[in-house]
Amino acid sequence: MQVLGKIATWFDDIFIDLIRQLRWSYVPPLMVYFAYGLATISGITGTFFVKEYLDLSAAYLAGLGFWAGIPWALKMPLGHLVDILWRHKAWLLWLGAALTALSFFIMYLVLTAPEMMSAIAPLKSWFIASTIIAPSGLVLQDAVADAMSVEAVPRTDDTGTPIDHDTSRMMHTTMQTLGRFALIFGTVVVAVVNITMFAGIEALDQAQKSTVYANIYLIGLVIPLISVSGILIAAGQRRSRRKRMQLQGLSAQAITAALDTPDEPTTPNPWYFIGGAGFVAITLIVGLGQVPYGQEIIFLGSLIIVSLLMRQLLTVLPVAQARALVGTALILFVFRATPRPGDGQTWFSIDILGFDQQFLSLLSFITSALTLVGLVILRPLMASRSVTAIVAILTVAAGILSLPNIGLYYGIQNWTAALTGGVVDARFIAILDTAVESPLGQVAVIPMLAWIARNAPANLKATFFAVMASFTNLALSASALLTKYLNEIFIVTREVTDNTGAVTTAADYSQLGILLIVVTLITVGAPLLTIALIQNSRLRTGD
């Protein structure tokens, strides 16, 4: 009975308490985050579209990933704009939704009317345009959602009484946790849709496959409506709360103080917009001018601009807190800047291991579903450990969990299948590895968001969120660059045929194994070395 009591207490503390903390005011930003998760619906479809229709190398796709990640660096001036235009941020959400819809619509037309689209521009150009437009819309919506997540936590109750500091901090933490839940739940829904849509696709001819792909992009057109509904729900809740406070006899001034204005006005800082303009100028001049090493120049220029703008925030923090911010940011940057194997690993899984669209969708579903459970179960770990400790744990875990993928390349599944009567085959190993690895990718996010919430000035919360997001998302661009470099050193190609069936590019996975090993060594070594250097310097952080 004592054991059952402890289990019941643990279950209540972990699961039920999170449900108890739900509030209706959380729903609007959660709708935007949910739509953000749903926007990944085209991921697998895009992979197979490239493989079956476009002759793009793994290095080229890694470079395209670099360009697709750059819009996120603009989140900093956008976040500051949201702070300034607090009452009018809905228009940014509408614009972001329109861009997201345009991205899906382009690919829908490419698949349903390829002759018309290719007459205007090559299909490769349309795919590139769609790939870059999508994150441009998503970053707008994400910047607004961050501000909405702050606004969703009320400063007073319905009687106008200010909410105490500890309760407010708990509510902010809950809001950020639920935001990650909504985003990941969106990917769970996407995985279910993909599993359903891709059922039996291996038996279809190319024209029928194109129809399935087109239908997925058509479904994607609904997603922007979901994010916009968050704004509509927020407006309805605002009117409802204002009416309740009026019925309670509160004065117009008290209602305005409770609903409309932040504690302190946000003073516009032109350097955020100057930096954003500089970033756009560098991108256009270098990108359109086809300057050699354009991606590297844009990345370094963006990193300099973002770093200079981060100094604007450091000036409003105490010296010790500012140093801790720099140390924490550097650790997170290196952790996220580690390279990935690239598309070659996915091609190997498809061509050699026989993973089809439906199985890849199943892996995506397992990843998302177990991440939801993992975030809840690992919540005590996130609350009790510093960001540095969590990054160290995740780094070691990432190294261990990369071993099954390396083993699959070298044929470990043949040995395990022989010993287990065919049970532990390639798919079994992939599912098991995915199940263990799933929750870890998001574990570092929640402590970082909680850290931002604890340290951000009251009138610069959206800017503070955006600053850290811009810096850490530049790390993803660095990761894409490193991935491209490694794919140029270790060449991996998949078979490409023309309309007659003649092979134009032969499959070659001979260097994939050493690529996976090098990626693993960098993934483990770089973050641990950075932590050691930071923790033995003035930038040491224990937060």
Side-chain angles (χ1 to χ4, degrees):
M1 291 298 293
Q2 188 176 6
V3 174
L4 292 177
K6 290 183 178 179
I7 293 176
T9 300
W10 173 84
F11 186 84
D12 183 84
D13 292 341
I14 297 296
F15 296 98
I16 305 301
D17 182 63
L18 191 60
I19 297 174
R20 282 196 293 262
Q21 295 181 34
L22 287 172
R23 298 177 65 92
W24 282 111
S25 61
Y26 297 166
V27 174
L30 293 181
M31 294 295 289
V32 183
Y33 287 128
F34 177 56
Y36 182 15
L38 290 176
T40 61
I41 192 171
S42 62
I44 294 177
T45 303
T47 297
F48 278 87
F49 175 81
V50 171
K51 184 178 183 296
E52 296 170 4
Y53 291 88
L54 303 178
D55 186 8
L56 301 177
S57 67
Y60 184 92
L61 291 173
L64 182 58
F66 167 86
W67 291 106
I70 286 296
W72 290 96
L74 285 175
K75 189 177 178 182
M76 186 151 39
L78 288 175
H80 193 57
L81 185 66
V82 168
D83 276 326
I84 297 169
L85 303 178
W86 189 261
R87 298 184 183 182
H88 307 289
K89 61 185 177 294
W91 292 107
L92 288 174
L93 184 61
W94 282 93
L95 177 58
L99 289 173
T100 304
L102 177 61
S103 174
F104 283 115
F105 189 58
I106 286 174
M107 290 306 299
Y108 175 75
L109 291 179
V110 164
L111 287 161
T112 57
E115 295 83 5
M116 180 189 74
M117 298 297 282
S118 59
I120 301 173
L123 296 184
K124 179 174 72 173
S125 299
W126 286 116
F127 174 75
I128 293 171
S130 175
T131 301
I132 295 176
I133 290 172
S136 299
L138 292 175
V139 68
L140 282 172
Q141 296 178 79
D142 192 56
V144 175
D146 287 341
M148 292 175 66
S149 70
V150 177
E151 189 180 54
V153 178
R155 291 176 295 113
T156 65
D157 58 24
D158 286 340
T159 66
T161 304
I163 295 175
D164 66 86
H165 177 267
D166 290 339
T167 302
S168 178
R169 183 174 60 180
M170 179 189 67
M171 294 167 70
H172 275 291
T173 302
T174 300
M175 176 69 249
Q176 297 304 326
T177 302
L178 292 174
R180 297 307 96 189
F181 262 72
L183 191 157
I184 299 167
F185 184 66
T187 65
V188 172
V189 174
V190 164
V192 173
V193 171
N194 281 333
I195 290 172
T196 303
M197 297 292 290
F198 288 139
I201 195 172
E202 66 278 356
L204 302 181
D205 59 30
Q206 197 59 50
Q208 292 171 320
K209 288 182 181 179
S210 295
T211 300
V212 173
Y213 297 158
N215 288 336
I216 289 176
Y217 283 110
L218 185 62
I219 293 173
L221 290 173
V222 179
I223 296 172
L225 299 178
I226 296 175
S227 62
V228 169
S229 70
I231 284 291
L232 300 178
I233 293 172
Q237 289 180 346
R238 184 185 185 84
R239 287 193 299 269
S240 176
R241 192 173 180 213
R242 181 181 292 275
K243 186 175 181 179
R244 288 198 306 269
M245 297 177 81
Q246 288 173 341
L247 292 175
Q248 292 171 359
L250 295 179
S251 66
Q253 292 82 359
I255 294 175
T256 299
L259 298 180
D260 294 338
T261 58
D263 295 332
E264 302 176 34
T266 300
T267 302
N269 187 333
W271 286 108
Y272 291 110
F273 303 107
I274 294 172
F279 168 79
V280 173
I282 293 174
T283 302
L284 292 177
I285 293 172
V286 176
L288 296 180
Q290 297 183 343
V291 177
Y293 302 101
Q295 294 176 358
E296 289 79 1
I297 293 173
I298 291 176
F299 169 73
L300 290 176
S302 302
L303 183 60
I304 292 171
I305 291 172
V306 171
S307 298
L308 290 175
L309 294 180
M310 283 184 69
R311 290 191 62 186
Q312 300 296 314
L313 280 184
L314 297 181
T315 59
V316 302
L317 298 176
V319 174
Q321 198 175 25
R323 288 177 178 173
L325 167 63
V326 174
T328 303
L330 288 174
I331 290 172
L332 289 172
F333 184 91
V334 174
F335 175 69
R336 302 192 74 181
T338 53
R340 301 293 181 263
D343 288 279
Q345 183 179 15
T346 304
W347 297 340
F348 177 83
S349 299
I350 296 170
D351 292 340
I352 307 302
L353 300 180
F355 294 176
D356 55 23
Q357 294 94 324
Q358 189 176 32
F359 182 71
L360 291 177
S361 299
L362 175 62
L363 291 181
S364 177
F365 171 78
I366 293 173
T367 297
S368 300
L370 291 182
T371 297
L372 290 176
V373 177
L375 282 179
V376 176
I377 295 177
L378 296 175
R379 192 166 49 134
L381 171 67
M382 293 184 286
S384 60
R385 299 294 184 95
S386 67
V387 175
T388 302
I390 291 174
V391 169
I393 293 171
L394 294 179
T395 297
V396 174
I400 295 173
L401 293 174
S402 66
L403 297 179
N405 289 323
I406 297 174
L408 286 174
Y409 173 80
Y410 287 104
I412 190 175
Q413 66 275 12
N414 299 324
W415 177 69
T416 56
L419 290 178
T420 60
V423 175
V424 185
D425 58 3
R427 295 196 173 200
F428 183 95
I429 293 173
I431 290 175
L432 182 62
D433 182 57
T434 299
V436 177
E437 184 180 10
S438 295
L440 301 182
Q442 288 287 335
V443 167
V445 175
I446 302 298
M448 184 181 72
L449 294 175
W451 184 85
I452 293 172
R454 290 196 304 269
N455 292 278
N459 62 331
L460 289 173
K461 282 191 177 292
T463 306
F464 214 92
F465 271 103
V467 167
M468 291 298 293
S470 294
F471 188 71
T472 54
N473 280 313
L474 270 177
L476 297 182
S477 294
S479 175
L481 276 177
L482 292 174
T483 301
K484 183 187 76 168
Y485 297 151
L486 290 177
N487 275 269
E488 289 174 342
I489 297 172
F490 306 103
I491 306 298
V492 179
T493 61
R494 86 286 193 206
E495 183 178 290
V496 178
T497 58
D498 59 20
N499 293 333
T500 66
V503 177
T504 58
T505 303
D508 183 5
Y509 296 109
S510 60
Q511 298 187 59
L512 179 60
I514 187 63
L515 172 62
L516 294 174
I517 294 173
V518 170
V519 167
T520 299
L521 293 176
I522 297 175
T523 299
V524 175
L528 293 182
L529 178 61
T530 303
I531 290 173
L533 293 175
I534 293 295
Q535 295 301 83
N536 287 281
S537 71
R538 292 190 304 169
L539 303 179
R540 178 183 178 85
T541 172
D543 203 349

